[in-house]
Amino acid sequence: QCAERIPEAEAVLDLLEKCPEHQKKGGFPVIVFEGLDATGKTTVTQAVKDTLNGILLRSPPACISQWRTVFDDKPTPVKRAFYAAGNYILASEIAKASTQAPVIIDRYWHSTAAYTIATETSGEVQDLPPAQDEVYQWPEDLLKPDLVLLLTVNPEERVQRLQHRGLEKTKEEAELEANSLFRQRVEESYRRMVNPACQEVDASPSKEEVLKTVLQLIKKHCPS
């Protein structure tokens, strides 16, 4: 139905249909970086890619990211469907890339899930679905990473970094700033994710320190 009214939806669905089901990971590690905007994901993912001679991928994947602004303005279910489809399209890119080199990913399924849960819930952190709820479970049919690192900085530091960047804010970023409860719900949702869970990394120290911590975690959890 969407495709009839939104031409871009048809293009996304076409790409999705071309993806083989149940993607298999190659022999190289797949490492995902999650976190709110201005927690240093761009800097860290680039540095890790360079250090490991890896391949850097982003969600939504490049082939559909030009339509992101179109879907961000659509009703929530349509917007969420776009990001969910993006994860499955990204999975086919990960499957291919992980046969060639380590794969570093800037956001993946955990982001889609955390923002969805935080948006669908109102109020305090304790109003979120309980920790064991299936909403925090990784989808069975989606290619799973070896390691998920959640970069966090304290709220004041994050706002300062955003101001330094001077970038136009996404709708969700504006919501995060305006609504500290929403931010708390997003971060708590990340922390409740299981199979794989997020390993939290304090991204407040210098870039060099953060990179060192991240590389140690990668070495520990991805021995290959």
Side-chain angles (χ1 to χ4, degrees):
Q1 283 180 309
C2 272
E4 290 168 19
R5 294 198 302 276
I6 312 166
E8 294 84 358
E10 199 163 346
V12 173
L13 291 170
D14 283 349
L15 283 166
L16 192 58
E17 277 173 21
K18 291 189 180 108
C19 297
E21 281 183 43
H22 297 289
Q23 303 289 348
K24 289 278 186 289
K25 197 174 75 65
F28 287 91
V30 174
I31 301 134
V32 177
F33 285 85
E34 293 285 5
L36 306 178
D37 280 359
T39 49
K41 280 194 314 306
T42 306
T43 308
V44 176
T45 49
Q46 191 62 52
V48 173
K49 170 196 173 279
D50 294 344
T51 309
L52 301 183
N53 290 321
I55 296 167
L56 178 57
L57 298 173
R58 288 193 173 85
S59 175
C63 59
I64 65 167
S65 60
Q66 74 267 29
W67 301 316
R68 191 174 179 171
T69 48
V70 174
F71 286 95
D72 276 348
D73 283 336
K74 299 295 176 214
T76 301
V78 176
K79 180 168 80 164
R80 293 296 163 215
F82 168 74
Y83 285 102
N87 287 323
Y88 285 87
I89 295 167
L90 182 61
S92 64
E93 295 182 6
I94 297 166
K96 188 177 169 190
S98 60
T99 63
Q100 301 159 4
V103 183
I104 316 304
I105 308 164
D106 185 339
R107 290 193 169 174
Y108 192 19
W109 180 81
H110 281 354
S111 270
T112 311
Y115 279 93
T116 301
I117 294 162
T119 306
E120 297 294 320
T121 314
S122 55
E124 311 270 335
V125 162
Q126 57 261 36
D127 298 317
L128 288 168
Q132 286 73 36
D133 197 288
E134 60 183 24
V135 293
Y136 304 113
Q137 284 273 357
W138 191 272
E140 281 180 17
D141 60 346
L142 183 63
L143 185 146
K144 203 179 283 188
D146 295 292
L147 180 62
V148 182
L149 298 174
L150 173 64
L151 301 182
T152 59
V153 295
N154 68 52
E156 296 76 19
E157 165 85 3
R158 208 179 62 78
V159 169
Q160 271 188 327
R161 290 183 182 190
L162 273 171
Q163 285 165 347
H164 283 308
R165 277 170 30 173
L167 297 176
E168 194 182 328
K169 290 198 264 297
T170 63
K171 273 187 171 178
E172 270 164 358
E173 186 51 54
E175 173 74 13
L176 287 171
E177 267 187 39
N179 186 339
S180 68
L181 283 178
F182 180 67
R183 189 192 70 245
Q184 288 165 26
R185 292 198 304 269
V186 173
E187 289 203 313
E188 181 57 28
S189 298
Y190 273 131
R191 292 187 180 110
R192 292 185 185 186
M193 301 289 167
V194 290
N195 192 28
C198 297
Q199 304 266 342
E200 210 163 320
V201 175
D202 178 11
S204 306
S206 67
K207 291 171 193 172
E208 293 73 22
E209 288 274 316
V210 176
L211 179 60
K212 190 178 163 190
T213 305
V214 161
L215 292 172
Q216 283 169 344
L217 282 166
I218 293 170
K219 195 174 178 183
K220 181 182 170 187
H221 293 278
C222 311
S224 58

